Amino acid sequence: MEAGVKEIDIVVGFMKEQYEYLIDKYGVHLVFNKDYAVKNNLYSLKQVLHKIGNTYIIPCDVWCRENPFSDREWYSWYMVTDQRDDRSSVRVNRKKELVSVKKEESGNTMIGISYILSEEADILKVRLQELVGKKENDQAFWELALFDKGRMLVSPRELDDEKVHEINTYEQLRELDHDSDHLQSDVIQLISRVF
């Protein structure tokens, strides 16, 4: 919203009710993915396939120190950090392209935030349609649709590892956002004492 992004669609599944307050507060649209429990985010992105083009794609579990959005984007990009990661499937090469990693090498930490211009969106839409039609992709991440012949269709947007984090646990959230009033409730304190 700070960057001027007004049309926001959130694909929901598990605990979808927890997002409903955002409709009134920010005017977002919630799109329900009925297959959320058995399929990965490749299928979530398919739910909003018709909306992709000059679009940010954002996973729900990423924390950024600074607002990564802008009112103008000049090219399609995918966010990675400068940190090496053995679990990553992509690395930034010398030509500043995102390429597939070989089995023996580590890649750049993949963040999942991306911006897709209309030109690349057309290719991405075709790739998404092809991929979701195959059972072996039920657990695939949406980034699979960005790959073509060993490289991603978009450029890297490389950030310092300290500026962005994936959050998988409550403890990670508390470490990153320890000053938040939302994390200091009586209910959270009770849960912490019990567990």
Side-chain angles (χ1 to χ4, degrees):
M1 293 278 202
E2 291 172 5
V5 177
K6 302 291 185 216
E7 189 173 335
I8 300 171
D9 295 284
I10 303 173
V11 182
V12 295
F14 178 66
M15 295 178 61
K16 67 181 187 301
E17 309 80 27
Q18 299 296 316
Y19 294 89
E20 289 176 352
Y21 78 97
L22 296 171
I23 297 169
D24 293 330
K25 189 168 183 175
Y26 297 110
V28 305
H29 305 102
L30 299 184
V31 178
F32 182 64
N33 177 6
K34 65 180 177 55
D35 295 322
Y36 74 89
V38 293
K39 296 183 180 183
N40 212 333
N41 67 10
L42 179 71
Y43 290 85
S44 292
L45 191 56
K46 184 185 179 292
Q47 302 301 313
V48 289
L49 188 69
H50 62 287
K51 299 264 188 155
I52 300 172
N54 299 329
T55 306
Y56 286 105
I57 299 173
I58 309 151
C60 66
D61 58 355
V62 175
W63 177 90
C64 298
R65 188 173 306 281
E66 299 163 2
N67 189 338
F69 313 115
S70 172
D71 62 347
R72 289 186 185 89
E73 296 288 352
W74 303 106
Y75 60 93
S76 294
W77 51 263
Y78 180 86
M79 190 179 290
V80 296
T81 72
D82 55 0
Q83 184 73 30
R84 303 310 278 179
D85 184 350
D86 292 335
R87 297 168 296 147
S88 177
S89 60
V90 69
R91 68 177 173 82
V92 179
N93 69 8
R94 290 182 184 162
K95 295 179 184 178
K96 293 295 183 190
E97 300 170 317
L98 288 166
V99 296
S100 297
V101 297
K102 296 179 175 91
K103 289 186 180 188
E104 65 276 359
E105 64 184 352
S106 60
N108 295 76
T109 300
M110 299 171 73
I111 301 303
I113 298 176
S114 186
Y115 186 82
I116 308 295
L117 288 174
S118 292
E119 299 90 58
E120 286 82 10
D122 292 340
I123 299 167
L124 179 62
K125 289 174 185 179
V126 170
R127 294 274 302 139
L128 269 170
Q129 292 284 38
E130 292 170 357
L131 292 168
V132 297
K134 298 176 182 173
K135 182 87 172 132
E136 66 264 20
N137 295 323
D138 281 1
Q139 296 307 310
F141 291 99
W142 80 270
E143 288 90 345
L144 181 63
L146 288 177
F147 281 98
D148 183 39
K149 297 177 184 155
R151 64 180 285 273
M152 278 191 171
L153 302 169
V154 297
S155 299
R157 181 169 177 192
E158 196 170 359
L159 291 182
D160 181 293
D161 187 53
E162 292 301 313
K163 292 189 176 182
V164 61
H165 297 276
E166 181 179 2
I167 299 171
N168 293 315
T169 65
Y170 177 69
E171 289 76 23
Q172 289 173 328
L173 178 60
R174 285 179 58 135
E175 286 175 25
L176 292 168
D177 201 14
H178 53 83
D179 294 330
S180 172
D181 291 337
H182 300 293
L183 302 178
Q184 304 303 327
S185 71
D186 292 338
V187 173
I188 296 296
Q189 298 302 326
L190 176 61
I191 292 169
S192 295
R193 281 195 304 272
V194 170
F195 293 107

